[in-house]
Amino acid sequence: MRQRGVAVLGSTGSIGTTALRVIARQSDRFRVVALTANSNAELLREQELEHKPAYVGLVDCSEEQSDDWRRGVECLVEAATRDDADIVLNAIVGAAGLDATLAALRAGKRVALANKESLVVAGELVAKAAAEGRGEIVPVDSEHSAILQCITGHDRAEVRRVILTASGGPFRGWSESRLATATVADALQHPTWTMGRKITIDSATLANKALEVIEAHFLFGLPYDRIEVVVHPQSVVHSFVEFVDGSVVAQLSVPSMELPVLYALTHPERAPDSGVPAFDPVALSPMTFEPVVHEKFPALRLGIGAGRQGGAAPAVFNAANEQAVSLFLDGVIHFGDIPASIESALNELGGLPSASREDLLDADSKARRHVRELFEC
Ligand code: NAD
Ligand code: MG
């Protein structure tokens, strides 16, 4: 079996380290050819020693180093376009992952995409880059992996509707007054998943689910009125697909990102693996479903509205959210200020031009500035 080369971008994060575990177990099929990280040089060094990639890049160039790593932001596109990379696993957090996604697709790679923000910021440009370069996107996000697993082998026209599941985050069931005083520590306590800090906060506001609805729209070519969300606190059913005959197919597993990471590498095939604990429907019972309480989590409605509006609005939604989450994590703003900042940025900037990457990045930086100015920082 020929080993396929994998470039892992964002290798020091939650998805990146998960991916390296999966690849190490699947070493007859895959090998790491490139690693990149933002600033965690120590972990990156350990990963280099273990996986021996041909290329290592670190975005942060603040320290003088005597290693042969590539330094600076250019390392992301370089790693994503290397000849020895068949697959680019983009596990960067935020809009910072966009250029690597575009470049990898233009270079004809399979992009195993965890970086959902790429699709939210520039869904149309990402689709164009894939078409031009004959690249392919395979989602790592568990909900989208579930949908892909359900529809593979079917014509897209046979899909009537998809229903994304949401755990509801740590604040499911909290009253509005309690939510107003939620702390950073409260918001970082996710009930079913251990993830990076930004996506953990996004799961608490449900902004993550809004990003995922937009992601599903672009990945599967579905209009927004055929993408729904249901709260499923156990995170065992990863999403549902309803077909045109009324049959509903779902994909289930114990919550673990190892499975969707592996599937993004092997799709449409499956590889024997031991990353997910055995499925026991009795032990996992009961599996319950509830409606989203939109009044308490306005970020979901705002994000879906931005998706429907199209143009620069999803990029503004994403950037305002990234900036607000960063201020919340720094203790500068309250939890409730996150959706309020997003709403203000969308009202002000949602209609900005969106024809090119430059337009979208301009909308991104204006939205960040808008949120900082709201709080005079
Ligand atoms: P994380 O914060 O744990 O890791 C982020 C990685 O990106 C790190 O390796 C970091 O070095 C790198 N990075 C950060 N800023 C960067 C920048 N400006 N330029 C280049 N590299 C940068 O995040 P995570 O939880 O692993 O999430 C990564 C992506 O995967 C996000 O888009 C997230 O929404 C998505 N995702 C994560 C999970 C999960 O379980 N963690 C599940 C589904 C989707
Ligand atoms: Mg998800």
Side-chain angles (χ1 to χ4, degrees):
M1 194 181 307
R2 187 180 83 86
Q3 272 182 318
R4 305 187 75 201
V6 186
V8 182
L9 313 184
S11 65
T12 54
S14 167
I15 292 288
T17 51
T18 301
L20 291 181
R21 271 198 310 279
V22 170
I23 294 168
R25 264 203 318 271
Q26 294 287 342
S27 58
D28 51 340
R29 287 183 163 77
F30 303 105
R31 76 196 154 92
V32 177
V33 296
L35 294 172
T36 74
N38 190 40
S39 58
N40 189 344
E42 201 181 322
L43 180 55
L44 189 63
R45 168 73 63 205
E46 282 173 28
Q47 293 178 338
E48 179 185 33
L49 290 173
E50 182 181 347
H51 296 277
K52 304 182 178 54
Y55 182 98
V56 182
L58 186 68
V59 173
D60 180 13
C61 16
S62 58
E63 282 173 43
E64 275 295 308
Q65 292 283 340
S66 55
D67 50 53
D68 53 1
W69 295 354
R70 285 293 296 208
R71 301 273 166 163
V73 74
E74 303 75 26
C75 74
L76 304 177
V77 167
E78 274 180 21
T81 52
R82 287 177 59 85
D83 286 344
D84 56 2
D86 302 290
I87 303 174
V88 175
L89 193 139
N90 187 344
I92 298 168
V93 61
L98 174 62
D99 283 346
T101 297
L102 291 171
L105 290 170
R106 281 197 199 105
K109 310 293 185 193
R110 165 174 291 198
V111 176
L113 189 70
N115 179 248
K116 63 191 90 182
E117 294 92 343
S118 292
L119 270 173
V120 172
V121 173
E124 270 135 32
L125 296 184
V126 168
K128 198 161 151 245
E132 279 168 12
R134 294 168 175 259
E136 170 194 30
I137 307 179
V138 185
V140 166
D141 220 348
S142 56
E143 297 78 0
H144 306 75
S145 175
I147 293 168
L148 183 67
Q149 292 179 56
C150 293
I151 67 173
T152 293
H154 290 276
D155 193 303
R156 298 277 160 105
E158 291 174 0
V159 175
R160 183 188 284 164
R161 192 164 62 113
V162 299
I163 306 174
L164 305 180
T165 51
S167 71
F171 300 145
R172 186 178 67 90
W174 281 39
S175 66
E176 266 170 80
S177 55
R178 197 170 164 214
L179 259 185
T181 60
T183 64
V184 172
D186 294 330
L188 287 173
Q189 291 297 320
H190 196 276
T192 48
W193 299 101
T194 308
M195 309 180 286
R197 284 157 65 86
K198 189 256 178 184
I199 184 177
T200 303
I201 302 302
D202 288 353
S203 301
T205 58
L206 296 199
N208 181 52
K209 216 43 61 176
L211 298 172
E212 292 187 356
V213 168
I214 301 171
E215 182 185 9
H217 166 79
F218 285 114
L219 277 176
F220 304 114
L222 287 167
Y224 285 98
D225 55 9
R226 286 163 53 196
I227 307 171
E228 293 177 20
V229 176
V230 69
V231 174
H232 167 47
Q234 298 82 16
S235 305
V236 173
V237 177
H238 300 305
S239 278
F240 298 99
V241 176
E242 182 183 69
F243 289 93
V244 285
D245 58 1
S247 182
V248 177
V249 177
Q251 185 263 337
L252 289 75
S253 75
V254 173
S256 161
M257 287 309 294
E258 301 212 359
L259 178 59
V261 164
L262 176 62
Y263 188 73
L265 301 177
T266 64
H267 166 80
E269 291 165 17
R270 291 186 183 273
D273 192 61
S274 57
V276 183
F279 184 72
D280 178 345
V282 175
L284 293 169
S285 293
M287 291 180 215
T288 58
F289 301 92
E290 319 165 359
V292 175
V293 184
H294 284 280
E295 301 69 40
K296 277 198 259 173
F297 301 102
L300 177 55
R301 178 182 49 78
L302 289 167
I304 296 173
R308 285 180 187 272
Q309 185 181 341
V316 169
F317 171 82
N318 178 70
N321 179 55
E322 282 191 34
Q323 181 64 74
V325 168
S326 149
L327 293 175
F328 173 67
L329 284 169
D330 289 345
V332 178
I333 67 173
H334 297 293
F335 186 74
D337 293 331
I338 300 174
S341 312
I342 296 172
E343 184 160 31
S344 169
L346 279 171
N347 287 340
E348 196 78 21
L349 304 164
L352 284 173
S354 61
S356 64
R357 168 188 170 279
E358 289 65 33
D359 285 342
L360 291 165
L361 292 185
D362 181 54
D364 174 291
S365 62
K366 286 190 168 118
R368 286 174 203 258
R369 193 179 326 132
H370 178 84
V371 173
R372 285 195 303 272
E373 283 171 4
L374 283 177
F375 301 99
E376 294 170 357
C377 47

